[in-house]
Amino acid sequence: MTTHQTSSLLLGLAAVVFLARVLGVVARRLNQPAVIGEVLAGIVLGPSLFHGALAGALFPAGIRPLLAALAAVGVAAFMFLVGLEWDAAVFRGGGGLAAGVSLGSVLVPFGLGVLLALYLMDDYGTGDRTAFMLFVGIAVSVTAFPVLARILTDRGMSRSPLGVVALACACVDDVLAWSLLAVVVAVSGSAGPGRWRILLAVPYLLGMLFVVRPLLRRLVGCRPALLLSPAVFAAVVVGLLLSAAATEWVGLHYIFGAFLFGVVLPRGGSERLRGEVRERLGHLSGTLLLPVFFLVAGLQVDLSQLDAGGLGALGLILLVAVGGKFTGVFAAARLSRMPLRQSAALATLMNIRGLTELIVLNVGLQRGFLGRDLYSLMVVMAVVTTAMAGPLLGWIIGRPPGPRPVPPRRGCGRRSRGRGRALGGKRGHPRRGPVRRIGRQETVGIWRAPVSGVRARPACGVVAGRWRSAPDLLRVGPPPS
């Protein structure tokens, strides 16, 4: 690298980190996920504004391959963290409802996306028609698990029955979407000179799940007080990069290897270690590497030439993406006897796409599944569907309420005001109220506030409604009489 390229690279990195942070803070002030502002920072620095003059001045062609390499490392680290957060216990906590809703969340938009691809084939199609149709179906079926989890946490709903079911559905949705994408990538790449390598994908998956995972579990079990020393952190990073490189070499994308390595890391007995890995790697990824990825993604987005035909295609993409996902989730939830308002809230949450959608679109652009024009429209769809989730959720179930004051203990044996009853019996003898079990947690139904998860007998004075059936646990409004 020359001195000019080095100074240009450092200046460009400073600009993108600063702008991503500023717009992320602005997005948070507007009650939006920070990822909205960070994505917009990448688009602002791209060719959509000033005919690419700003992008050409800050990011000359000589440093863009270096930016793409940093972005690839950031995406690999992010997918590793997503795999690290993925837990089958969350899916078990959602019960059979999560399985049905997840299938509806993927199959309905996927089918509509394939039909949309047939309609867009003449204007935006690529050489491989089958891969194009399948990829568009996958692109409109994705749900962003990390952004959804952050929204639920900000609203105090992550431990509520609605939040548990939404997280479980998002987990299954992600696994189905990534599996479909892996199949499309494998099939489309099987025609190259190294097509025999794709046959190694299944043995690699089995080896990671049934050989590497038990070995890591035994290693952690032998050292329960294992801390994140520099050597341990280096071993985690090396394993992440090797797994990503292996899946890239066999013909899959590197994101699958990074995600898989996060999944196989042991869960039990290593909570502190996982938390330290998540914190240390997350800070580096979120501060520097992911903003670079948003920049690289934004450099491929060009909305300056958008005409009436492009606006019509964008409207159709939004209609299929939002309508297909909402219809599939809402219908499956109602068939599972979920109340009307909570079904609509769940369908709204599952429409969040965020960073996960951008990663999928980036894979499609690299593999030639879609062109730059359709890529730009899909990025706009990802931003719109993520930005609309918060306001729609607030309109459906209301703003997140503040903490409810706990009444004094001496009123424990009397009936409470309103349409509920106290969970306490005689004085000094609290009795179990209408507690339902979701997964491994017990949950008490509380109206006018998100439902709180408790692990022990509820404290005296907590008011619970008279729920008549298990789906009633998902109510947020007043309980039925």
Side-chain angles (χ1 to χ4, degrees):
M1 290 180 60
T2 64
T3 302
H4 176 70
Q5 288 178 330
T6 302
S7 59
S8 299
L9 176 62
L10 297 177
L11 178 62
L13 290 177
V16 68
V17 171
F18 175 77
L19 187 59
R21 180 59 56 184
V22 170
L23 294 186
V25 171
V26 172
R28 297 288 293 172
R29 292 291 181 90
L30 298 176
N31 295 323
Q32 292 290 341
V35 68
I36 295 293
E38 294 168 351
V39 173
L40 290 178
I43 296 176
V44 167
L45 294 174
S48 296
L49 298 180
F50 310 112
H51 301 286
L54 181 61
L58 288 177
F59 311 104
I63 68 170
R64 293 192 181 186
L66 302 176
L67 295 174
L70 286 175
V73 176
V75 172
F78 173 78
M79 291 303 300
F80 165 76
L81 294 176
V82 172
L84 194 66
E85 291 291 332
W86 193 87
D87 193 352
V90 176
F91 170 67
R92 291 193 296 268
L97 176 62
V101 172
S102 300
L103 288 177
S105 173
V106 173
L107 295 180
V108 174
F110 180 81
L112 293 177
V114 170
L115 296 178
L116 173 65
L118 287 174
Y119 177 79
L120 299 176
M121 184 72 71
D122 294 336
D123 296 329
Y124 300 98
T126 56
D128 193 340
R129 296 172 60 92
T130 303
F132 175 75
M133 292 188 297
L134 294 177
F135 183 81
V136 172
I138 294 171
V140 298
S141 306
V142 171
T143 296
F145 176 81
V147 181
L148 185 148
R150 182 60 183 268
I151 289 177
L152 291 176
T153 301
D154 291 344
R155 297 182 65 89
M157 297 172 58
S158 59
R159 293 171 63 89
S160 70
L162 178 60
V164 169
V165 172
L167 290 174
C169 294
C171 279
V172 181
D173 190 297
D174 272 7
V175 171
L176 292 175
W178 292 125
S179 301
L180 288 173
L181 182 59
V183 171
V184 174
V185 171
V187 172
S188 64
S190 61
R195 56 184 179 273
W196 60 271
R197 297 176 185 171
I198 199 64
L199 300 176
L200 301 177
V202 175
Y204 179 76
L205 174 62
L206 297 178
M208 292 291 288
L209 293 178
F210 298 107
V211 178
V212 177
R213 188 174 189 176
L215 289 176
L216 292 175
R217 187 179 301 163
R218 181 175 301 179
L219 177 63
V220 172
C222 294
R223 303 178 63 183
L226 186 63
L227 299 178
L228 188 65
S229 62
V232 173
F233 184 69
V236 171
V237 173
V238 168
L240 152 68
L241 297 177
L242 288 178
S243 182
T247 53
E248 181 73 24
W249 182 79
V250 301
L252 297 176
H253 203 272
Y254 63 85
I255 61 174
F256 301 109
F259 175 79
L260 183 59
F261 188 73
V263 170
V264 301
L265 285 185
R267 299 303 191 258
S270 60
E271 289 79 8
R272 181 177 178 181
L273 178 63
R274 291 172 57 236
E276 292 177 346
V277 171
R278 181 170 54 248
E279 181 179 2
R280 187 176 299 185
L281 192 59
H283 285 169
L284 175 62
S285 175
T287 304
L288 175 63
L289 299 179
L290 284 182
V292 174
F293 168 73
F294 294 134
L295 169 67
V296 173
L299 290 175
Q300 303 297 328
V301 176
D302 188 3
L303 301 175
S304 60
Q305 305 298 326
L306 192 63
D307 54 7
L311 289 175
L314 176 60
L316 191 58
I317 291 172
L318 286 171
L319 178 63
V320 170
V322 177
K325 180 73 80 169
F326 193 95
T327 302
V329 175
F330 184 82
R334 291 296 291 161
L335 289 175
S336 299
R337 299 179 59 201
M338 183 182 286
L340 181 67
R341 198 156 50 132
Q342 277 58 51
S343 299
L346 182 60
T348 301
L349 288 170
M350 295 298 290
N351 251 306
I352 298 173
R353 289 176 172 87
L355 176 56
T356 306
E357 178 74 19
L358 293 185
I359 295 176
V360 172
L361 295 176
N362 187 60
V363 173
L365 188 63
Q366 291 177 354
R367 300 286 176 168
F369 297 152
L370 76 168
R372 188 171 175 178
D373 293 338
L374 185 57
Y375 172 85
S376 302
L377 299 181
M378 287 287 190
V379 170
V380 175
M381 179 269 292
V383 174
V384 172
T385 54
T386 306
M388 75 178 190
L392 274 180
L393 193 63
W395 179 72
I396 294 172
I397 64 176
R399 291 181 175 272
R404 183 185 292 269
V406 179
R409 185 178 180 83
R410 63 174 179 270
C412 189
R414 297 177 298 187
R415 290 184 62 85
S416 63
R417 297 178 181 178
R419 300 172 60 187
R421 58 187 176 87
L423 296 181
K426 296 181 180 180
R427 184 176 182 86
H429 299 280
R431 57 186 174 85
R432 179 86 56 174
V435 179
R436 299 290 187 267
R437 199 173 269 280
I438 292 185
R440 298 180 179 177
Q441 294 181 351
E442 295 174 340
T443 306
V444 183
I446 303 176
W447 61 84
R448 299 187 184 279
V451 183
S452 301
V454 296
R455 294 184 179 274
R457 181 169 298 192
C460 184
V462 180
V463 178
R466 297 187 180 96
W467 309 114
R468 293 184 292 188
S469 60
D472 288 331
L473 281 171
L474 300 172
R475 294 184 183 274
V476 178
S481 57

